[in-house]
Amino acid sequence: RVKRLLYFGVSYCYFSIPLKIYPGKYNVSSDVNLTSLRRVALKSDGSGLSLASDPTGTVNFLDMVNNLQGDSGRGYYIEMSIGTPGQKLNILVDTGSSNFAVAAAPHQFITHYFNTALSSTYRSTGRTVAVRYTQGNWEGELGIDSVSIPRGPNGTININIAAILSSDGFFLPGINWQGILGLAYPVLARPDSSVEPFFNSVVRQLGIPDVFSLQMCGAGLSAGSETDTTGGSLIMGGAEPSLYRGSVWYTPIIEEWYYQVEVLKLEVGDQNLNLDCREYNMDKAIVDSGTTLLRLPVNVFNALVEAIIRSSLIEEFSSGFWEGTKLACLMKGENPWRFFPKLSIYLRATNTSESFRVTILPQLYIQPITDVDGTLDCFRFGVSSSTNGMVIGATVMEGFYVVFDRTQRRLGFALSSCAVSDGVALSEIEGPFSAADVAADCSGGPLKEPLVWMISYALMAVCALALLILLLMLILPCRCGNRNGEITDESSLVRHRIK
C-alpha cells in the first residue's frame, strides 16, 4: 500500500513503499563517438600506461570500447568465449575478488552454463574451491582451459577457471551473466594465492601493460526500461582518452590485495563530517566494481545521513529509506535530486602531502529504480552501512573513468564521458588540496585479513606447543613408574582431548 509521507511546497509529495528491485533493464546510452576514437595498439614499456604502436598489435582500444553491458543493480558484464570449441558466456566484472569462476551446472536463474565435458581443452586440477562474497557464495572445482575475449586483447589465454557446481544467493533473478571475473590481486585468490588471477595471466601470456581501466555508464538511469544496451568499457592494457574528460588524478594503492586506497575525509555539500580520518578507513577502504552501493563504516554512515538530513530541503523522511528497506516515490515526472546535496570523498594524492576530491551529484546516489502503475517514480538510497570497511562501489564509480595502474601501484580517477544527464555532468574532480590537516597515515585500521591469518596461525602454534608441554608433563611421570613404558589411560585421555 502506498502511503503519503510529506509535502514539498504545495505540489510535491513523497511516498514510501517496501523496497523491491524490479528486474527491468537500464536504458544506457553512451556519449562516446566511435568515429573519433584513436586506433591504438599497446606494447609494454615497463613503466605503466600504453604506448601507441603498430595497429596490428595485441591490443586495439577501439575493439574494447562499449564491450560491457549491464547496470549497477545487477552488475556490468563482458562476453567471453571459454573452452574448445568456444562456449560464450557473460562474465561479471569484479575488482573486489580474484577468482575467475563460471557456472558449470544448471541453475534456475541462468539460461546457460559452461559444460566442461564439451570442451576438449578443459583440464581439472582435482582441487575444490569455495568463495563467499558480501552477497552469496559458491563451491566448485578448479580447472584450466583456454579463454578468448571477442572484444578484448587479441589472442587466446590459458586461464585458471573455477567451475561452479553449487551456489547460494550468488546467481539472482534478472541477471544476464553466468560467471565472475575477479580482477584483484593473487592474495585474494581461493583456495590460495598460487591460483593465478585472470588479468595476471593475460599480462604474462600476451605481454600487455599491467594496467586496465573501467567505465560504467549507468549513471542516473532507471531500471524501469526494457532496453538492453551497452553499459560501459573495460580497457585492458591502458586507458582510452576519449572515455574521459580532463586530467586523471592518481591515488596510491595502499596494499595489493583489494584495490585499497586511503580516504582522508568526506563532505556533504560543504559540510566536513569532521571524523578522525582513520574512521573512513576502518578496517580498509577499497574500490570495488562488484559492489552496487557506496558502503561506509557504521559511524561514518550515521554521520553522513545526519549531515544529508541537515543540509537537504526535506524536513522529515522515512528511516526505511536510509536503511535501504523502502523506496521514496514521487508523482510521475518529479525527482528528488534538487533537494539533496553533493557528496565528496577526499583521496590522498601520489604526492602524499596533497589530496584531491571526487564528488558525485545526487543523481548518482539517489537512484531511480522503477515506476509504479505509471503514476509514481521511485528512488533508492545508493549508500549503505558496512561492518567490514568502506567500499567505493558502482554508486561512485559510475561518475568516473577509473584507471587501475598496477605497474605504478596507483588508481586514477577522471570524469567519465558518459556520466552526463540532460547536459549536466554528474561528477566532479578538484585538487590538489593540502593534506596537512589530516594524519600522516589514515589507513591504520584493524589488521588486514592475510596478516590476521598469519597471526592466528602463530597463536595456534603457541597454544599447541603449550599443550604439548602439558602432555609431556603428564606422560613422563607415568613412564618412570611403569617398567613397560606404557601410557596410562589418564594420559591417553589428555592426548585424545588434544585431537
Side-chain angles (χ1 to χ4, degrees), residues 3-244:
K3 181 180 178 182
R4 187 167 62 185
L5 294 183
L6 58 100
Y7 293 87
F8 296 118
V10 176
S11 60
Y12 299 108
C13 57
Y14 266 91
F15 297 86
S16 175
I17 64 175
L19 177 59
K20 181 178 180 181
I21 306 302
Y22 293 85
K25 300 174 181 177
Y26 279 97
N27 180 12
V28 181
S29 61
S30 173
D31 292 335
V32 176
N33 180 1
L34 293 180
T35 61
S36 65
L37 290 179
R38 301 178 301 114
R39 278 186 86 83
V40 178
L42 302 182
K43 289 183 178 178
S44 176
D45 65 348
S47 65
L49 293 178
S50 61
L51 291 175
S53 65
D54 180 4
T56 62
T58 302
V59 179
N60 186 324
F61 284 169
L62 181 60
D63 292 341
M64 289 184 276
V65 170
N66 289 336
N67 60 2
L68 299 183
Q69 292 184 311
D71 55 66
S72 62
R74 293 178 301 277
Y76 291 84
Y77 54 87
I78 187 170
E79 184 184 71
M80 293 188 178
S81 180
I82 305 173
T84 307
Q87 302 176 42
K88 290 188 176 180
L89 281 79
N90 293 329
I91 307 297
L92 179 73
V93 174
D94 180 26
T95 64
S97 66
S98 298
N99 282 85
F100 178 59
V102 298
H107 189 281
Q108 60 178 327
F109 296 140
I110 60 175
T111 56
H112 56 289
Y113 61 94
F114 174 52
N115 191 332
T116 58
L118 298 181
S119 174
S120 61
T121 50
Y122 178 79
R123 177 170 58 87
S124 173
T125 65
R127 302 176 69 189
T128 60
V129 59
V131 173
R132 179 176 297 276
Y133 302 92
T134 304
Q135 176 179 318
N137 61 83
W138 54 259
E139 297 180 0
E141 68 169 17
L142 284 175
I144 298 173
D145 208 340
S146 59
V147 176
S148 62
I149 308 172
R151 300 187 63 182
N154 296 325
T156 299
I157 318 104
N158 290 319
I159 297 293
N160 290 303
I161 298 176
I164 300 175
L165 301 176
S166 64
S167 63
D168 180 24
F170 181 67
F171 298 110
L172 301 173
I175 63 169
N176 193 30
W177 45 265
Q178 301 83 38
I180 187 168
L181 170 59
L183 290 169
Y185 290 98
V187 71
L188 293 184
R190 297 293 181 265
D192 56 58
S193 59
S194 68
V195 179
E196 184 177 60
F198 182 95
F199 193 68
N200 293 63
S201 298
V202 172
V203 170
R204 178 175 58 82
Q205 295 179 41
L206 298 184
I208 68 173
D210 195 6
V211 183
F212 66 89
S213 49
L214 191 57
Q215 182 190 56
M216 300 152 66
C217 292
L221 298 172
S222 172
S225 171
E226 292 300 320
T227 304
D228 188 16
T229 57
T230 327
S233 304
L234 172 62
I235 307 297
M236 300 186 194
E240 171 49 55
S242 66
L243 298 182
Y244 64 88

Side-chain angles (χ1 to χ4, degrees), residues 443-455:
S443 60
L447 293 172
K448 312 296 186 299
E449 187 177 343
L451 184 57
V452 170
W453 290 342
M454 294 191 328
I455 293 177

